[in-house]
Amino acid sequence: YTTDDNYYGSMQLTTYVGAGEGDLFLLPRERFEMFAQGGTFYPLDEAIESGALDLRGIDVSSTTLTTDDGETGVYGVPATSLYGLMEYSVDNRDLVVGVLAYSPNYDRAVDWIDWLIETMQAPKPEWVEAQEAKQGAGAGEISDMPSY
């Protein structure tokens, strides 16, 4: 997936989701919510309750949604504390991971999310804190470009 201003990336994502391609998606929160409300993702409540998905303290209230069909549940896991992803050039701060509702590999996908949390959950790097402080509270973007 690419940024919202990339027409082809957005079209490709919509095509993949519509075709039921892939098991997991790591998406910007706004895009995730749009797809989740339409029923694109499996609810993760059972996996969380059974312990198959250990959230390790991650707050999922922001990804507890009601779909267009009236179903309420946890449809994704915020990646906001998965700062280990930054080592792979993935800015995790506004991303959510979810399991595609058409996935035939639900259990394996849940295992992968559990692994992702276990291995990528980390404290916010000092350089991110310094950059955010430099840009001002709530700015949230990493950039060395001056603001004008």
Side-chain angles (χ1 to χ4, degrees):
Y1 176 68
T2 58
T3 60
D4 285 333
D5 61 348
N6 181 321
Y7 174 76
Y8 294 106
S10 184
M11 186 170 57
Q12 184 176 22
L13 172 64
T14 302
T15 301
Y16 283 158
V17 169
E21 292 289 323
D23 297 312
L24 297 162
F25 284 90
L26 183 64
L27 299 172
R29 180 175 303 280
E30 185 177 311
R31 183 61 59 113
F32 171 83
E33 289 174 356
M34 179 189 73
F35 281 119
Q37 288 173 344
T40 301
F41 297 104
Y42 267 122
L44 300 171
D45 303 86
E46 287 182 26
I48 294 166
E49 290 168 15
S50 72
L53 179 56
D54 183 353
L55 296 173
R56 295 168 179 83
I58 294 176
D59 180 9
V60 292
S61 60
S62 67
T63 55
T64 301
L65 307 168
T66 301
T67 67
D68 294 342
D69 295 336
E71 299 290 324
T72 300
V74 177
Y75 287 91
V77 177
T80 51
S81 66
L82 306 182
Y83 286 104
L85 291 170
M86 287 191 168
E87 293 180 33
Y88 302 96
S89 301
V90 176
D91 187 350
N92 61 294
R93 292 174 289 171
D94 189 44
L95 299 178
V96 178
V97 63
V99 179
L100 193 64
Y102 310 112
S103 172
N105 302 308
Y106 175 79
D107 291 335
R108 295 181 90 188
V110 167
D111 288 345
W112 191 86
I113 295 173
D114 189 66
W115 173 87
L116 184 69
I117 295 169
E118 181 181 348
T119 58
M120 295 294 155
Q121 194 170 37
K124 185 183 288 189
E126 290 180 20
W127 68 268
V128 173
E129 289 183 6
Q131 189 68 33
E132 288 175 349
K134 183 177 177 182
Q135 292 177 345
E141 291 186 31
I142 299 173
S143 174
D144 290 331
M145 298 296 292
S147 297
Y148 297 101

